Amino acid sequence: MIAVAPAPVAMAADDPTIAVDLRGISVGAGLDQLARQADRALVGRASELRQARAGGVRGRMRLSRALALWCAPAHLSCRLVANGIVVRATSPRAAAVRPAIGPAAPAPHPADIIVTGRGTGTAGTALERSYSASHVDAAELARRDPGALADVLATLPGVWADRSAGTAANTIRVRGIPLDGYQAIAVQEDGLPVQHDSLPWTDVDQFVRPNLSLDGVDYVRGGPAAIFASNAPGGILNLRTRGAGDRAAAALRTSTDDRGRARIDAYAGGPVGGWRVLASGMAVRDPSVRRIAATLGGWQARVRADRELGGRGHWMLGVRWLDDDTLNISSFPMVARRDGRLAPLPGFDPRRDSWFGPALATVRFAALGARPLARNDRNRLAAATSILTLPLAAGTLTLRARHRRSVTERYALSSSGPPVTARAAATAALPRLAHAFAGTADAAARRSDGGSAVPPATWVETLNPVAADTRLRETIAEAVYDAPLVLAGRHDLTFGVYATRYHWTFRRAVARALVEARGRGGLLDIVALDRAGRQTGALTDQGFLSCGTTFEQVAADQRMGALYLADEWALAPRWRIDWGVRRERARLAGCSEQPLTADAGYAATLADDALVLPSGRREPHRLRRGGLATTAALHWQAEERVSLFARGTRAIRLPDPGAFRLAADAETRTLHVDQGELGMIAGAHGVALDATLFASRFRQIALEDLSIDPATGGLRIGRHDAAARTLGVELAGQLDLARDVTLRTTVTAQDPRLVDYRLSTVISGRSALLDLSGRRPRRVPRLMAQANVAVALPATPIHLDADVARTGRRFADDGNRLALPGVTLVDLGATWALGGGVTLRLRTTNLFDAIAVMQGDAIGGEIQAATSPIVVVRAQQGRLVEAGLTWRY
């Protein structure tokens, strides 16, 4: 063993920030330099420290990050301990000298290394990137403690993430791309998709629960994402799970909030025989920030085992289970003021209320029977993953596979346009009631739970209770081979084969109910009265206008395969060309059930006259589609700490079986997106900047439009063709203001526009063409900005942090009729290291209890929103105070 005593340097922090410049030296020389800079002793075997080291590490960064970047490619574990750095081999070949041109090391899992956007899977510094990327490390995840995938995405530049729906089924928009949900990005876990497609009522985020098992998040924006993943025109988000180390380790976190949530997260693991095994999980009891009819919650569990195979081989096996109920809300009424701002409707707090009251805790659907709507969104999943990395010739072969099964019972209460007064609702129903019930002279609104009269000025809302059952059985496999090649410079080649097959079943029933427009409002009836005030009939049945306005059932299979090839070509010391191509082919087959309409025969009400039910008649569907994605970039290391890149990409997205829901209007084209990027990455003297100019163009896209059939009350799904383009800039920066003060910022400014967007409408009884070209797509803001300040109080174990997020004005509809005001949200937090591995975390989100309106009415208001004094929108939750206690061993 050798020990090097470094010269004193004025850095006393456990993990100091240092200026790193390691190039053209051995592993040991680099570690010696880092140790001297950080005033640490270096302990390791001389044979391991003498090996050569290809490439370099440069920039200003934490010591732990520099060690991870420098040591991992050399198969060394470099750990920070009290006053020292301990180096040990992670494989028998670590002591061998690497050849100048040799196989890349398997991707390590230390924080702050982004490998998602590189086909070779090798680690690299930010200055080596020819694409835009962001990283969220384990420390940042612990600080934010995200409860949903949207919470993670909301911190990243270029992403507008609407967290107002709840834990799952949220909406995001990436770089202005007019694709809702998770259709524009591939969400992966350890390099494999969590779910290949984002399907109707089977969203990717329904099956992601961030907790202590999550070790880091990498996000590649645009660029090469379309080559290394399917359905990724906007990027790849890779969730990296925690693995066990070389010694026993454990952690336990308990947390709560001022609404009564109770949650426990834990993991424990270490060496077991020749394996490293980690078990982790969480359990939560969640009454919810919003006032709902039931307490939600559930659990998640994981087991992961890792084993080294020879010198460069590695095998990871993992299993995950999920079973929980989560909140998912829809839009609700607010008052549109003359100054353009939105105010709460009396009786409905948009930050804490919901429609989920006792009156709608259970709903009996004509097609599906009684369903517990109060359970809200129940997801059950079991998934198994295997990742095998093996040396092969001069390169590395990586085999990944995942099989999952999931069952979802998803319930929703969607509003149906703005509310009206009870008097207006009765008046509108009177002609129908008079035609159906002889002797009818008037109509009135009454409460369903007792028959008492409803004041005429009471606001009344029509809701659509929804029950959707989905099942997904999916297998995904991928083989990737990386190898170097010397030909007119160095090439790092990647060849990949990707395949998936899944079976998806979908059943959805929709009802229609009348409720008082207030938080957890009760059911109302509209009754017909004769001249003596006696009831002659009713429009509703116990508050329901219908127990079955819509029924859908689809069963579908998809088989999809892809081949891709990528190359990082270092044609000169400061110049590199990156290019890639991906070819995809998909075959879809399935059938959809044709519904029938029936009268249940109850003479006293109109609510059962047209119930939509299963018919047993099925229509088969078949579809074959393919597409080619390409990308090319030029990277220039302009200066020691500055690099520039230019990239052009054509991304694709193949249709999914959701197209079979309405075969006549199905969107079955392959979607093409042209993108361009100009980027700069720089870092020096405590300053880091990542800037990207981006542009995208959709030549043709079908924008979905949900509406209510005025005759039947059923849900209609329409699609309108348009083109779209976006111009914008993303900025991400970090500044060390002082020794213990760090400022991080992200800014996205963009100008998305709809092009060639024309649709037919009716004006004054005549058909007309409505041209919405030049309008901004619904929900997409022009400006998004975030800032985080972290301060370590001198001579104390306390860290303070503050987050400020600004979202600019958006529109609820493509017609840009209803503007949603911009909003600023402020979060504050404090962390106190109590000693003995115990940390106390306090955090307040939405400090000023702002009303952050995120989107408008999803039914009948996304093309042209209603602009009456009462509008339908959805806002984020109000202020929440959280506390958590974490113990680590």
Side-chain angles (χ1 to χ4, degrees):
M1 302 291 288
I2 65 170
V4 179
V9 180
M11 291 184 180
D14 290 337
D15 191 9
T17 299
I18 58 176
V20 180
D21 188 358
L22 306 178
R23 289 175 294 172
I25 57 179
S26 69
V27 171
L31 288 170
D32 183 26
Q33 181 176 325
L34 293 176
R36 290 181 183 277
Q37 284 182 267
D39 192 20
R40 299 294 178 95
L42 177 63
V43 180
R45 294 184 182 275
S47 60
E48 295 168 358
L49 298 178
R50 280 197 299 267
Q51 63 175 300
R53 170 65 160 81
V57 175
R58 289 167 290 169
R60 186 172 178 82
M61 62 191 74
R62 294 283 187 183
L63 175 59
S64 60
R65 181 184 182 189
L67 290 171
L69 289 172
W70 185 248
C71 296
H75 297 280
L76 295 177
S77 168
C78 301
R79 294 189 298 112
L80 284 176
V81 297
N83 300 317
I85 300 170
V86 176
V87 182
R88 61 179 297 181
T90 59
S91 71
R93 294 193 182 185
V97 177
R98 292 185 63 195
I101 303 295
H109 289 280
D112 303 308
I113 297 178
I114 298 176
V115 298
T116 303
R118 304 186 69 175
T120 62
T122 56
T125 65
L127 291 173
E128 297 175 355
R129 283 195 276 108
S130 61
Y131 50 88
S132 303
S134 302
H135 175 74
V136 183
D137 60 21
E140 179 68 2
L141 290 169
R143 186 181 74 83
R144 290 185 175 274
D145 189 17
L149 182 58
D151 294 333
V152 176
L153 285 162
T155 68
L156 302 173
V159 180
W160 173 80
D162 175 12
R163 295 170 283 172
S164 62
T167 301
N170 284 293
T171 296
I172 66 169
R173 289 289 177 95
V174 181
R175 286 185 167 181
I177 294 175
L179 292 174
D180 280 335
Y182 291 83
Q183 298 182 71
I185 68 171
V187 179
Q188 299 182 341
E189 187 177 274
D190 295 323
L192 275 176
V194 173
Q195 181 175 306
H196 174 77
D197 263 321
S198 190
L199 298 163
W201 294 76
T202 319
D203 295 304
V204 175
D205 67 342
Q206 291 176 229
F207 308 101
V208 176
R209 300 290 181 272
N211 64 352
L212 280 177
S213 64
L214 186 60
D215 194 42
V217 177
D218 300 328
Y219 177 47
V220 174
R221 307 190 294 276
I227 305 303
F228 298 115
S230 299
N231 308 317
I236 299 174
L237 185 82
N238 187 34
L239 310 171
R240 291 188 286 106
T241 63
R242 186 182 302 275
D246 295 329
R247 61 189 182 91
L252 174 68
R253 180 173 64 203
T254 61
S255 58
T256 187
D257 60 37
D258 59 350
R259 302 295 172 184
R261 186 194 64 168
R263 175 170 161 168
I264 298 176
D265 294 71
Y267 70 78
V272 179
W275 294 82
R276 299 191 306 274
V277 180
L278 187 86
S280 63
M282 73 168 193
V284 61
R285 178 187 179 277
D286 189 8
S288 174
V289 178
R290 296 187 179 274
R291 302 177 183 103
I292 57 177
T295 297
L296 306 177
W299 58 273
Q300 176 177 254
R302 293 178 184 269
V303 177
R304 171 174 166 166
D306 294 81
R307 184 185 183 94
E308 302 301 326
L309 303 175
R312 292 186 290 115
H314 182 86
W315 191 13
M316 187 276 272
L317 296 173
V319 183
R320 178 166 74 102
W321 300 271
L322 172 69
D323 188 343
D324 67 357
D325 302 304
T326 61
L327 177 67
N328 179 255
I329 65 162
S330 197
S331 302
F332 34 72
M334 291 187 71
V335 179
R337 302 193 320 194
R338 292 185 178 180
D339 61 2
R341 303 193 68 80
L342 300 176
L345 183 74
F348 204 117
D349 184 346
R351 296 156 298 193
R352 295 178 179 84
D353 275 325
S354 77
W355 295 117
F356 286 97
L360 290 168
T362 300
V363 172
R364 181 172 292 279
F365 293 89
L368 299 179
R371 291 303 185 93
L373 257 68
R375 294 288 294 272
N376 213 258
D377 186 6
R378 186 182 186 195
N379 296 290
R380 287 169 286 171
L381 172 138
T385 302
S386 174
I387 302 176
L388 179 63
T389 302
L390 297 170
L392 181 62
T396 302
L397 176 66
T398 302
L399 304 174
R400 301 184 181 96
R402 173 170 292 141
H403 180 74
R404 60 82 62 90
R405 290 174 178 262
S406 67
V407 177
T408 296
E409 298 167 0
R410 184 168 159 189
Y411 305 114
L413 285 170
S414 58
S415 53
S416 184
V420 298
T421 63
R423 181 68 262 174
T427 301
L430 183 57
R432 246 186 103 188
L433 292 170
H435 181 268
F437 303 108
T440 297
D442 198 5
R446 293 179 177 174
R447 290 186 169 84
S448 299
D449 61 356
S452 59
V454 177
T458 300
W459 290 106
V460 173
E461 178 65 274
T462 302
L463 296 181
N464 299 287
V466 181
D469 298 337
T470 66
R471 293 176 179 266
L472 183 62
R473 185 177 67 250
E474 177 180 65
T475 301
I476 299 173
E478 184 176 46
V480 183
Y481 181 64
D482 309 315
L485 174 68
V486 179
L487 180 64
R490 176 187 172 112
H491 298 260
D492 288 300
L493 297 170
T494 300
F495 175 73
V497 180
Y498 173 89
T500 183
R501 179 177 181 178
Y502 64 79
H503 179 73
W504 174 67
T505 60
F506 169 76
R507 288 194 309 163
R508 184 175 75 144
V510 184
R512 199 160 168 82
L514 199 64
V515 302
E516 187 175 355
R518 59 186 304 111
R520 300 196 296 175
L523 289 165
L524 305 177
D525 283 312
I526 300 293
V527 298
L529 304 174
D530 62 15
R531 296 187 182 279
R534 294 186 295 262
Q535 182 172 330
T536 60
L539 179 70
T540 56
D541 181 12
Q542 293 298 306
F544 284 86
L545 293 157
S546 173
C547 286
T549 63
T550 305
F551 177 76
E552 298 176 80
Q553 180 160 306
V554 176
D557 289 278
Q558 181 177 122
R559 296 183 180 184
M560 181 267 182
L563 298 174
Y564 60 90
L565 175 65
D567 179 22
E568 294 186 5
W569 177 18
L571 68 164
R574 290 179 176 267
W575 293 88
R576 192 177 79 235
I577 293 176
D578 299 344
W579 63 270
V581 60
R582 182 184 183 95
R583 175 65 174 173
E584 295 187 354
R585 294 288 296 176
R587 183 175 68 181
L588 290 75
C591 60
S592 58
E593 183 157 351
Q594 303 303 301
L596 63 82
T597 302
D599 186 341
Y602 296 103
T605 178
L606 302 181
D608 70 321
D609 286 5
L611 298 177
V612 181
L613 303 169
S615 67
R617 301 191 310 271
R618 299 187 176 182
E619 179 181 351
H621 307 286
R622 292 190 179 276
L623 183 65
R624 293 175 182 262
R625 287 292 181 269
L628 184 70
T630 59
T631 190
L634 178 64
H635 181 270
W636 176 37
Q637 186 77 39
E639 294 182 7
E640 184 178 356
R641 293 181 174 85
V642 178
S643 65
L644 306 171
F645 68 85
R647 181 180 289 272
T649 302
R650 166 162 287 187
I652 61 171
R653 194 185 197 288
L654 303 185
D656 62 67
F660 297 157
R661 294 170 63 193
L662 292 176
D665 298 320
E667 172 54 72
T668 60
R669 296 168 295 197
T670 297
L671 184 65
H672 294 86
V673 191
D674 297 320
Q675 302 176 71
E677 297 169 275
L678 294 174
M680 180 185 73
I681 304 169
H685 308 298
V687 179
L689 176 64
D690 192 334
T692 305
L693 293 169
F694 63 88
S696 65
R697 180 172 67 96
F698 283 80
R699 287 177 293 170
Q700 193 173 36
I701 184 172
L703 301 176
E704 193 171 84
D705 176 25
L706 297 177
S707 60
I708 298 294
D709 187 324
T712 66
L715 285 178
R716 299 184 302 191
I717 304 175
R719 292 180 173 89
H720 306 287
D721 284 341
R725 63 89 176 154
T726 300
L727 300 173
V729 59
E730 297 167 345
L731 301 173
Q734 179 170 318
L735 175 63
D736 293 337
L737 298 174
R739 177 175 168 183
D740 297 313
V741 181
T742 301
L743 171 66
R744 289 177 294 178
T745 62
T746 64
V747 178
T748 302
Q750 56 190 355
D751 182 28
R753 296 289 172 179
L754 296 168
V755 184
D756 296 330
Y757 189 17
R758 301 176 182 88
L759 51 106
S760 351
T761 187
V762 176
I763 301 176
S764 301
R766 296 185 177 182
S767 297
L769 192 65
L770 180 64
D771 190 349
L772 300 181
S773 301
R775 311 294 174 92
R776 281 163 53 189
R778 65 190 88 145
R779 307 187 185 117
V780 183
R782 278 186 172 176
L783 176 68
M784 298 178 289
Q786 297 184 69
N788 164 254
V789 178
V791 180
L793 297 184
T796 72
I798 298 175
H799 289 70
L800 305 178
D801 57 90
D803 295 275
V804 180
R806 173 68 183 178
T807 302
R809 191 177 74 151
R810 301 154 322 289
F811 291 98
D813 58 325
D814 292 334
N816 294 177
R817 298 178 62 185
L818 177 58
L820 306 178
V823 64
T824 300
L825 298 176
V826 179
D827 301 341
L828 293 180
T831 304
W832 185 5
L834 300 176
V838 179
T839 303
L840 174 65
R841 174 72 177 162
L842 302 175
R843 189 165 184 242
T844 300
T845 57
N846 194 358
L847 178 66
F848 299 108
D849 210 22
I851 298 176
V853 177
M854 302 304 291
Q855 65 179 54
D857 189 359
I859 299 180
E862 293 194 323
I863 301 298
Q864 286 193 297
T867 56
S868 63
I870 308 297
V871 297
V872 177
V873 294
R874 194 173 75 190
Q876 288 195 30
Q877 66 185 30
R879 178 172 52 238
L880 192 66
V881 179
E882 303 168 296
L885 198 64
T886 303
W887 169 79
R888 295 180 185 273
Y889 167 75

